Amino acid sequence: MLKGKRILLAVTGSIAAYKSAMLIRLFIKEGAEVRVIMTEMAKNFITPLTMATLSKNPILVDFYNPENGDWNSHVSLGLWADLYLIAPASANTLSKMAGGIADNLLLTTYLSAKCPVAVAPAMDLDMYRHPATQASLSLLRERGVHVIEPASGELASGLDGKGRMEEPEEILHQVDELFERKATLAGRKVIITAGPTREPIDPVRFISNYSSGKMGYSLAESFAGRGADVVLVSGPVSLNPGNPRIRRINVETAVQMKDAVISNVDNADIAVLCAAVADYAPETVASSKIKRKQSDMTLNLVPNPDIAAELGKIKKKGMITVGFALETDNELENARQKLKRKNLDAIVLNSLKDEGAGFAHDTNRVTIISSCGDVVEGVLKRKEEVASDIVDYVEKLLLCSRD
Ligand code: PMT
């Protein structure tokens, strides 16, 4: 898979830098071309001579070569690479990447890279666990950066925990997968709904739910990462899609979400309905703020359109529709009923009874149930990984629908 691929490897200051030398050897053995950027600090952990010898290319550290004034163009490096891998990625570099800081060649190259970017964090367990590091990683993930999770084990500090950079063989495996998955959905059009809807009561109040959009946005990134063109119909959330293949349409209400989905459904190959759509909306919306009274107040609610069910009625042959079922009890039975009622090809069940699953968490645990009888039970994972599993399953459905 790596034959002929151009990998730009950046190394930061970490004891795990020695593993990067092994990584270069593995990449070269697989037929990839490797160029290496090192930070000043990285040079204290492994010599540029070692890295230059292994990669068969001069090492890039500064914006220019002080000896002869030769300019190391971060723009052309970013254009040259098929993948920009930062391994090991220190807490300092991850925070700077998340903050858009551009004070060394590694960072300016990141900001101008057009290719997929992956990071393999390496640090002490407390640094890794720190909310600042986790916030940087979340932000980078949202922007489409692939994070190669560190492993657990003995750390340079002597402590035991999560923070060790993954072994070179595992990094190679994940890089291989990134290339393999890259274009499997090229030319496919996908519609995804994400986030909550808001149903206004008056100019200052609305009915909504706890959906953060994390699951739907992870799906959008995963589809786009495999080359699909994604229309992301999103309720109000505080996330931003990172991949330029994602076109976002912002909506507030269920009716607006339905209109956006229906008017974009032409030529769509896949629809994944992940939004938590309010089933009811106030019958009338007060034009000015409803004043507090001493007496009880009744809000008359009317049903919203069921977007998934409407799509189920009009979908063309060969189009795959996948819904979600958020349940609190009788989970499998309820999900199966929704699968049938909404004419879906598959439904992704998540239960609020599972700790760490459903609304707002970074993780989810899902069971995929298909109309042809498959029941695929998953374990608790990060939403990005769950999204990737769902996309794998959709690819399988696409193959079946072709046969
Ligand atoms: O956004 P996060 O914080 O990451 O949380 C993710 C999630 C919990 C919102 C997500 O994983 C999820 O379960 N989404 C569906 C929530 C939901 O509304 O489930 P439901 O069982 O009520 O709806 C069943 C299906 O019909 C869903 O695909 C839903 O999008 C769709 N639907 C529901 C009502 C409606 N009026 N129109 C719809 O299209």
Side-chain angles (χ1 to χ4, degrees):
M1 210 50 215
L2 294 191
K3 197 163 170 43
K5 297 286 184 221
R6 291 179 295 212
I7 299 177
L8 184 59
L9 174 68
V11 183
T12 71
S14 158
I15 190 71
Y18 76 92
K19 291 187 185 173
S20 313
M22 289 148 83
L23 202 49
I24 297 172
R25 289 192 68 168
L26 291 176
F27 286 153
I28 300 263
K29 215 168 129 203
E30 293 290 313
E33 195 181 335
V34 183
R35 299 192 72 184
V36 180
I37 296 178
M38 294 177 80
T39 61
E40 275 302 332
M41 193 53 105
K43 292 195 297 182
N44 296 325
F45 289 90
I46 191 153
T47 69
L49 181 61
T50 305
M51 303 303 253
T53 311
L54 290 172
S55 67
K56 303 182 179 70
N57 270 313
I59 299 307
L60 308 157
V61 178
D62 296 313
F63 291 109
Y64 64 94
N65 182 341
E67 308 279 292
N68 57 16
D70 238 14
W71 181 247
N72 293 324
S73 164
H74 56 90
V75 177
S76 41
L77 279 170
L79 289 174
W80 172 83
D82 295 314
L83 173 75
Y84 187 24
L85 169 66
I86 296 130
S90 64
N92 181 44
T93 290
L94 291 170
S95 314
K96 285 181 170 180
M97 285 169 72
I101 293 170
D103 63 2
N104 64 28
L105 186 63
L106 180 157
L107 294 162
T108 47
T109 305
Y110 165 61
L111 290 177
S112 44
K114 294 264 187 295
C115 59
V117 178
V119 293
M123 64 200 76
D124 201 47
L125 78 162
D126 291 313
M127 286 176 88
Y128 181 69
R129 251 191 276 174
H130 197 283
T133 308
Q134 288 305 314
S136 302
L137 285 168
S138 284
L139 202 59
L140 292 173
R141 279 193 187 94
E142 276 165 28
R143 293 177 183 156
V145 173
H146 177 80
V147 178
I148 300 171
E149 289 280 328
S152 291
E154 198 187 334
L155 300 161
S157 60
L159 296 171
D160 219 278
K162 191 166 176 174
R164 282 171 67 92
M165 185 173 92
E166 253 308 355
E167 294 307 316
E169 290 76 12
E170 174 56 26
I171 296 179
L172 173 73
H173 172 69
Q174 291 200 31
V175 165
D176 235 349
E177 274 196 344
L178 274 178
F179 280 119
E180 202 176 307
R181 283 180 176 174
K182 217 176 127 193
T184 46
L185 290 172
R188 299 286 192 175
K189 179 178 166 187
V190 186
I191 299 187
I192 296 173
T193 66
T197 62
R198 277 183 188 170
E199 311 300 333
I201 298 169
D202 67 11
V204 296
R205 304 178 180 96
F206 53 80
I207 298 174
S208 191
N209 56 64
Y210 296 109
S211 172
S212 63
K214 286 179 189 168
M215 191 67 248
Y217 276 60
S218 297
L219 280 160
E221 294 294 348
S222 198
F223 275 110
R226 296 191 202 185
D229 293 311
V230 178
V231 176
L232 175 62
V233 182
S234 173
V237 296
S238 57
L239 303 174
N240 285 306
N243 193 309
R245 286 190 178 283
I246 303 173
R247 177 166 69 89
R248 178 168 63 175
I249 303 175
N250 291 323
V251 296
E252 293 253 330
T253 65
V255 170
Q256 289 169 0
M257 187 172 270
K258 184 206 80 180
D259 290 346
V261 169
I262 301 298
S263 57
N264 281 281
V265 78
D266 267 1
N267 311 321
D269 300 287
I270 302 155
V272 183
L273 303 147
C274 183
V277 185
D279 282 316
Y280 293 89
E283 189 172 24
T284 53
V285 181
S287 56
S288 46
K289 187 179 172 192
I290 300 170
K291 296 281 176 292
R292 183 190 160 89
K293 293 189 191 119
Q294 288 311 316
S295 54
D296 292 354
M297 183 192 149
T298 305
L299 202 58
N300 219 20
L301 301 178
V302 291
N304 265 330
D306 186 328
I307 304 164
E310 293 204 16
L311 208 55
K313 284 185 202 144
I314 61 165
K315 74 174 181 186
K316 291 198 187 114
K317 195 168 178 282
M319 182 183 178
I320 305 291
T321 54
V322 178
F324 270 70
L326 179 63
E327 304 296 338
T328 52
D329 41 69
N330 221 359
E331 291 97 329
L332 270 175
E333 184 48 35
N334 287 337
R336 283 202 172 102
Q337 281 177 15
K338 285 177 186 170
L339 173 76
K340 209 162 165 210
R341 197 168 65 239
K342 298 177 192 237
N343 188 24
L344 298 161
D345 296 285
I347 194 151
V348 180
L349 163 66
N350 41 191
S351 170
L352 289 187
K353 274 190 191 155
D354 288 329
E355 198 154 321
F359 286 134
H361 299 288
D362 289 334
T363 50
N364 205 357
R365 186 175 102 73
V366 303
T367 301
I368 304 175
I369 305 156
S370 77
S371 56
C372 47
D374 274 356
V375 178
V376 187
E377 276 191 49
V379 295
L380 190 74
K381 292 182 183 179
R382 295 196 61 81
K383 281 185 173 158
E384 294 85 356
E385 294 172 85
V386 173
S388 177
D389 292 347
I390 294 169
V391 179
D392 284 345
Y393 194 80
V394 170
E395 286 198 20
K396 220 174 98 182
L397 290 176
L398 277 171
L399 281 178
C400 295
S401 76
R402 214 179 45 184
D403 298 338

